[in-house]
């Protein structure tokens, strides 16, 4: 069994909070984590709300069902019956002890009406991402985010080892869904993603709206996958799909709430520079993006946006092990851009992704622009080379393979 790096964080939270909520896309590994907690006797029972009998029992007498459960208890796919949160809140308020409930959701139920009010002060919320490359290799977590912010100068950032670039190419093609990533077979990958998309629409999307236009939704999903890593352009999507802006916004809302895509917001703290305010769109799983883009073989070359999507996913996975870290991108109206900006408090770390083995001054012009506006920030270029290279006083080129 793969040792998930987020598991120690979950165990720590169970000792402090009455409820722990694990959120993340379907098939990302949440149920496997529940089984591991059960095997370690940290929870007594697991109920899945994909079961019609469990759903019916909750609908008939939710409070009575919960009172009869042997705490600590887990409920999988809580988004299928969010009304039960009121009953959970009542039991927590009556007993007030840690580790009573572990909940999982394949939709971001924090966006549901009144859900945050039920959770406030009672529940820790932990995002579960797909497998990181370190997890696949059964290596300990790098704690990359902590190392980036602990470094006060670029000379303080000291990578301990480098891996193999071929592992990144494999990670881009297969993605991070555990079943696909651990199988690593091209035919299985194609069949799995095809089945996944059908099940996703029938089970997750229809939970939001029964009358959805499946063909239109699928068309917008594919168009967004094709522009992964680019600025979100509603007009372009509308023209290409023949679907009006309002419905496209609704489809994108569903895709983000169900953890299929992320809208990365721009960082624009500077009042002196005119900055782009449209978000960038990324598919959460780079292997799924490859599949949507028609890349069916490891022999087909992937583009730079897919490497950027892979890096974004690795950064998100690293962020689940830290607290109070936000991620943005930076782009001026003149085209100066930084792929990712990490923010912790007032500290900033700017990150560029380059699909090149050699870095030139031109490649770091966006970092120079950003650092000129933010005098305490540091800049890092993750690239395909194999040397750690200081590019300027506050800019360091780092081999991409350091990430695992």
């Amino acid at each position: 069994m793969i040792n998930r790096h987020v598991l120690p964080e979950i165990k720590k939270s169970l000792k402090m909070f009455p409820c722990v909520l694990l959120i993340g896309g379907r098939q990302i590994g949440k149920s496997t984590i529940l089984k591991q907690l059960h095997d370690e006797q940290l929870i007594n029972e697991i109920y899945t709300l994909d079961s019609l009998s469990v759903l019916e029992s909750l609908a008939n007498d939710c409070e009575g069902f919960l009172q009869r459960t042997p705490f600590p208890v887990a409920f999988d796919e809580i988004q299928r019956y969010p009304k039960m949160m009121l009953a959970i809140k009542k039991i927590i308020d009556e007993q007030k002890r840690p580790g009573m409930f572990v909940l999982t959701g394949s939709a971001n139920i924090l966006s549901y009406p009144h859900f945050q009010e039920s959770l406030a002060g009672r529940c820790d919320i932990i995002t579960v991402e797909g497998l990181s490359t370190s997890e696949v290799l059964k290596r300990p977590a790098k704690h990359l985010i902590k190392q980036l912010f602990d470094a006060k100068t670029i000379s303080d950032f000291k990578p301990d080892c480098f891996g193999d670039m071929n592992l990144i190419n494999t990670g881009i093609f297969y993605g991070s869904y555990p079943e696909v990533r651990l199988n690593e077979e091209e035919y299985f990958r194609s069949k799995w993603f095809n089945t996944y998309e059908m099940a996703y629409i029938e089970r997750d999307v229809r939970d939001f709206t029964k009358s959805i236009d499946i063909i239109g939704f699928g068309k917008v999903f594919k168009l967004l996958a094709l522009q992964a890593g680019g600025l979100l352009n509603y007009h372009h999507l509308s023209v290409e799909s023949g679907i009006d802006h309002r419905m496209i916004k609704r489809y994108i809302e569903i895709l983000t709430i169900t953890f299929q895509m992320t809208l990365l917001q721009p960082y624009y703290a500077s009042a002196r520079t005119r900055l782009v305010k449209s978000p960038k769109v990324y598919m959460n799983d780079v292997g799924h993006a490859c599949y949507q883009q028609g890349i069916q073989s490891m022999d087909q070359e992937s583009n730079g946006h897919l490497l950027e999507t892979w890096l974004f996913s690795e950064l998100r996975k690293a962020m689940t092990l830290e607290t109070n870290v936000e991620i943005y991108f930076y782009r001026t109206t003149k085209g100066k851009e930084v792929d990712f900006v990490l923010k912790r408090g007032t500290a900033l770390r700017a990150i560029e992704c380059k699909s090149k083995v050699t870095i030139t001054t031109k490649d770091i012009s966006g970092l120079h622009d950003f650092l000129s506006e933010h005098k305490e920030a540091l800049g890092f270029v993750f690239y395909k080379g194999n040397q750690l290279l200081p590019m300027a006083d506050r800019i360091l080129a780092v081999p991409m393979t350091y990430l695992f």
Side-chain angles (χ1 to χ4, degrees), residues 355-367:
S355 183
K356 303 172 68 174
V357 295
T358 302
I359 299 298
T360 65
T361 303
K362 183 180 177 181
D363 296 321
I364 58 175
S365 61
L367 285 174

Side-chain angles (χ1 to χ4, degrees), residues 242-259:
I243 298 171
D244 68 79
H245 289 208
R246 180 184 58 80
M247 190 56 67
I248 287 174
K249 287 183 179 180
R250 177 58 178 156
Y251 290 165
I252 291 173
E253 179 186 25
I254 293 172
L255 287 164
T256 55
I257 287 175
T258 54
F259 301 101

Side-chain angles (χ1 to χ4, degrees), residues 128-199:
V128 179
E129 297 276 357
L131 294 176
S132 69
T133 307
S134 292
E135 287 173 329
V136 172
L137 297 173
K138 299 184 178 181
R139 294 177 181 173
K142 276 288 186 90
H143 293 282
L144 170 69
I145 306 297
K146 183 178 185 300
Q147 292 184 39
L148 288 171
F149 282 104
D150 282 351
K152 304 308 176 187
T153 66
I154 60 171
S155 60
D156 294 334
F157 187 75
K158 301 183 186 299
D160 52 6
C161 67
F162 301 125
D164 183 350
M165 192 64 205
N166 289 328
L167 292 171
I168 295 178
N169 297 332
T170 302
I172 290 173
F173 182 71
Y174 288 106
S176 58
Y177 286 107
E179 268 194 275
V180 181
R181 187 67 176 90
L182 298 177
N183 193 292
E184 289 190 12
E185 204 282 323
E186 290 181 6
Y187 179 78
F188 176 80
R189 165 191 177 271
S190 295
K191 288 291 186 181
W192 192 93
F193 278 123
N194 181 59
T195 303
Y196 179 88
E197 288 181 0
M198 291 189 293

Side-chain angles (χ1 to χ4, degrees), residues 16-43:
M16 296 186 287
F17 291 89
C19 177
V20 175
L21 171 63
L22 310 180
I23 55 175
R26 187 176 287 276
Q27 299 294 319
I28 215 73
K30 303 184 301 297
S31 298
T32 302
I33 290 174
L34 291 185
K35 290 174 184 174
Q36 191 166 347
L37 293 173
H38 182 266
D39 291 344
E40 296 182 26
Q41 300 182 336
L42 293 173
I43 50 178

